[in-house]
Amino acid sequence: MKEVYFESTEIKALFEANDLGSFEQIWALETLWFEEPNYRRNGWSGVIKYALKDKKGVSTWVFIKRQENHNYKTFLHPFKGVPTFRREFNNINKLNHKNVPTLRTLYYAERANEGKDQAILITLSLEGYESLEEFCLNENNIHSPQRQAIMMLAGHVTRQMHDAHFRHNCLYPKHFFIRQTPTLDVRVIDLEKLKWFPFYFQIRRNDLSRIIRRGQPMTYNDTKILLNSYYQSNTGHLEKKSLARTLNKLLEKHHHERV
């Protein structure tokens, strides 16, 4: 058994009060899948949503992700690989350390069991949040007074992530989670492919062009606001930088192709 991570002694006590204080108990938990298991090669990975109850009966909703032989190869482990959840766990911690708003990890552990690599990652559910994709698909939000502020904050969060030298590598509207009340909040999720790069040119073009090309259902104006916020521009135009000009041309080209 690898070293077990609990966010705090209070969280550990909450898990124990729900008879989920050990890897074996969490692994054996039976309930409906929130996401059907993803099978590949000789392994699988699946997600459930579960309510942890405290002594007063108050529920804390969490996502419990379990996987078996769902590995990726690294320089140090070129043959067998390591659990993909280990990378996601590490990436969540890295962004939190840099104050980039993302998920909150409550538990992580992995073990080898009868020749199989098993891992569990548990994060706090973002209750009261919805994806940016869901927000844009909702016709009631077409003229939302907070729409511009949401796009600006999404651009700001993306800039924070890039300034910390991290590239998401899969940045679409469904990977921004937003909450409008009591205060506006935007978080970036799905960090399995997140990577650190030393130079900004290795980061920005990849993520930003992805938002432009595959940002639906965001509108042209949504994307423009996000990019202007990313470049910290208050003029309504992107900064006069090489990449900014390139992205602006790509945005205009993509917009004309869609209309």
Side-chain angles (χ1 to χ4, degrees):
M1 172 74 70
K2 299 288 184 180
E3 184 177 354
V4 176
Y5 168 88
F6 278 103
E7 184 193 54
S8 65
T9 55
E10 291 78 14
I11 290 297
K12 183 178 181 181
L14 178 62
F15 274 77
E16 290 173 344
N18 286 266
D19 297 323
L20 295 174
S22 70
F23 191 104
E24 291 76 11
Q25 289 174 309
I26 300 172
W27 189 262
L29 182 62
E30 293 185 6
T31 186
L32 295 176
W33 292 106
F34 182 81
E35 292 182 5
E36 288 294 325
N38 173 27
Y39 294 92
R40 72 175 188 187
R41 297 175 185 169
N42 297 319
W44 60 270
S45 176
V47 184
I48 64 173
K49 189 175 183 179
Y50 196 75
L52 301 175
K53 296 186 181 295
D54 63 16
K55 295 179 180 179
K56 296 180 180 179
V58 178
S59 295
T60 297
W61 286 95
V62 299
F63 281 110
I64 301 176
K65 304 175 71 172
R66 294 173 291 192
Q67 66 178 203
E68 182 174 86
N69 286 348
H70 206 270
N71 298 344
Y72 76 100
K73 296 178 181 179
T74 69
F75 178 76
L76 296 177
H77 302 87
F79 301 110
K80 189 177 181 180
V82 297
T84 58
F85 285 169
R86 185 193 299 184
R87 177 168 56 184
E88 187 172 0
F89 169 66
N90 289 334
N91 285 339
I92 291 172
N93 288 343
K94 290 173 183 177
L95 287 197
N96 279 316
H97 180 70
K98 293 295 184 178
N99 296 316
V100 179
T102 185
L103 298 171
R104 175 181 162 192
T105 303
L106 304 183
Y107 173 92
Y108 179 75
E110 57 187 70
R111 70 177 181 182
N113 183 37
E114 297 180 351
K116 299 177 180 179
D117 293 325
Q118 299 172 339
I120 299 173
L121 173 64
I122 303 179
T123 58
L124 185 67
S125 173
L126 293 176
E127 295 298 297
Y129 288 72
E130 65 177 336
S131 72
L132 186 58
E133 180 179 66
E134 292 172 317
F135 174 84
C136 291
L137 285 172
N138 188 335
E139 293 182 357
N140 294 327
N141 293 324
I142 293 176
H143 302 295
S144 168
Q146 284 198 297
R147 189 169 184 125
Q148 179 172 340
I150 288 170
M151 299 305 164
M152 290 179 66
L153 190 51
H156 177 71
V157 169
T158 304
R159 181 65 178 256
Q160 278 184 279
M161 179 174 62
H162 289 175
D163 283 350
H165 291 272
F166 290 105
R167 192 173 81 189
H168 189 278
N169 285 305
C170 192
L171 197 59
Y172 306 126
K174 65 180 180 180
H175 297 142
F176 291 103
F177 263 54
I178 65 174
R179 183 192 65 194
Q180 299 186 64
T181 57
T183 57
L184 187 61
D185 189 28
V186 174
R187 295 173 180 266
V188 62
I189 68 164
D190 198 3
L191 307 180
E192 184 179 323
K193 297 181 180 179
L194 185 89
K195 289 185 179 180
W196 185 91
F197 289 91
F199 303 111
Y200 290 126
F201 74 85
Q202 298 171 295
I203 301 170
R204 292 174 172 167
R205 182 185 296 273
N206 180 288
D207 278 348
L208 296 178
S209 63
R210 196 180 298 269
I211 291 174
I212 292 171
R213 294 180 186 276
R214 301 182 61 182
Q216 293 87 345
M218 288 171 57
T219 67
Y220 165 81
N221 286 333
D222 291 337
T223 309
K224 188 81 170 180
I225 292 170
L226 187 153
L227 291 175
N228 282 332
S229 175
Y230 179 94
Y231 279 101
Q232 302 171 334
S233 170
N234 296 319
T235 63
H237 301 284
L238 297 181
E239 292 179 11
K240 293 183 178 179
K241 296 182 178 179
S242 175
L243 177 58
R245 293 196 301 270
T246 299
L247 291 172
N248 196 35
K249 290 179 181 178
L250 178 61
L251 177 61
E252 297 297 331
K253 179 177 181 292
H254 188 65
H255 173 61
H256 290 305
E257 288 176 350
R258 291 176 58 189
V259 295

